[in-house]
Each structure stands twice: as structure tokens, then as C-alpha cells.
Amino acid sequence: LLRAGLVIFLIMMVYFLIMAQGRRKEVEINSTSGIRSISKGMMIGTLNIFPIPYFVALGAALNVNGNVQYHLLNNAVFVMAAGLGTFTTLYLYALFFAKIESEGNFFAKYSNYFMAGLMLILVIITFIRIFNSG
């Protein structure tokens, strides 16, 4: 499985490098409104629901041995931490949105290089795991 992952990461790294070297066409951005914007918002809202099954499964897995004790204080701390984490993330999105919007060309230009670098890091980690496990 690790060797298959190594090959996939290598292929993806080469793909992103080729895409980064390719010529770019200028893309015209049209402002959209109405149903399309609402559907995008609903899709993002739906994606934000995915952590709920993860936490349910994680709680069930931790409770298999009966080591987890559910008290009001533990639950309150967990809810506060999750809420503060979500608030912080959304606040940072709003804070840096103008900067990201003004530098959109920079991000679009170098996003393929970023993805190729990320794939290179995954290739190195997978390569190390293959030789340490076998």
C-alpha cells in the first residue's frame, strides 16, 4: 500500500510540475448571484457537517475500554474548544480575505508549485516509511 501511494504521489508531483510550467490563459471572472451563490453556500455548509461523524466515531473508539468519563465539565470544555477553534478559523478567513482577493493572481500562479512541493514532501515521508518498515 505504501509503494502504491509512493507511485501515486510521484505521478501527482510530476503532473503539478507540468501544469505549473504550462502557459496560462487569462480567465475572465464574472460576478454571480442568485441560485448559484446560494447553492455554493449550501455546499460549504454541508461540508462543515462532516466533522460531526468523525467526533462521534472518535468518542465511540475511545470509549471501547471504558476509559473515557463523560462529565459536564469535560463536555463543556470540548464544546468551548471546538467553538473557539471554529470562530478563530472563520475570523482569520474574514481578516485575510481582502489580502487574498487582492493577491489572487499570485496564488493562482504558484498554486501548482505549492501542490508539487507538497507531493514531494509526501513522497519523501512515504519513502522513509517504506524503508523503516521493511
Side-chain angles (χ1 to χ4, degrees):
L1 190 61
L2 285 174
R3 290 182 181 138
L6 181 69
V7 171
I8 291 170
F9 291 144
L10 279 170
I11 291 170
M12 289 176 67
M13 182 183 75
V14 170
Y15 171 78
F16 284 121
L17 282 175
I18 291 171
M19 293 301 292
Q21 298 297 324
R23 295 187 182 263
R24 291 184 216 330
K25 293 186 262 180
E26 288 296 322
V27 177
E28 185 178 324
I29 300 173
N30 297 328
S31 63
T32 60
S33 63
I35 297 296
R36 197 167 192 186
S37 295
I38 291 172
S39 62
K40 283 182 185 178
M42 290 175 67
M43 184 180 71
I44 290 172
T46 303
L47 290 176
N48 285 330
I49 294 174
F50 284 142
I52 294 172
Y54 168 76
F55 284 121
V56 170
L58 183 63
L62 290 174
N63 199 25
V64 168
N65 295 332
N67 294 336
V68 178
Q69 296 182 10
Y70 295 101
H71 296 293
L72 181 61
L73 180 63
N74 293 346
N75 294 344
V77 169
F78 176 78
V79 169
M80 289 294 293
L84 286 174
T86 302
F87 174 77
T88 304
T89 303
L90 294 175
Y91 179 74
L92 289 175
Y93 282 159
L95 189 65
F96 294 115
F97 179 74
K99 184 175 182 179
I100 290 171
E101 188 178 44
S102 67
E103 296 180 8
N105 290 335
F106 175 81
F107 290 114
K109 184 176 180 182
Y110 294 107
S111 63
N112 285 328
Y113 287 114
F114 172 76
M115 291 301 293
L118 182 63
M119 292 302 128
L120 177 64
I121 291 170
L122 291 173
V123 164
I124 292 169
I125 291 171
T126 306
F127 194 71
I128 291 169
R129 287 183 63 198
I130 288 172
F131 283 106
N132 282 342
S133 67

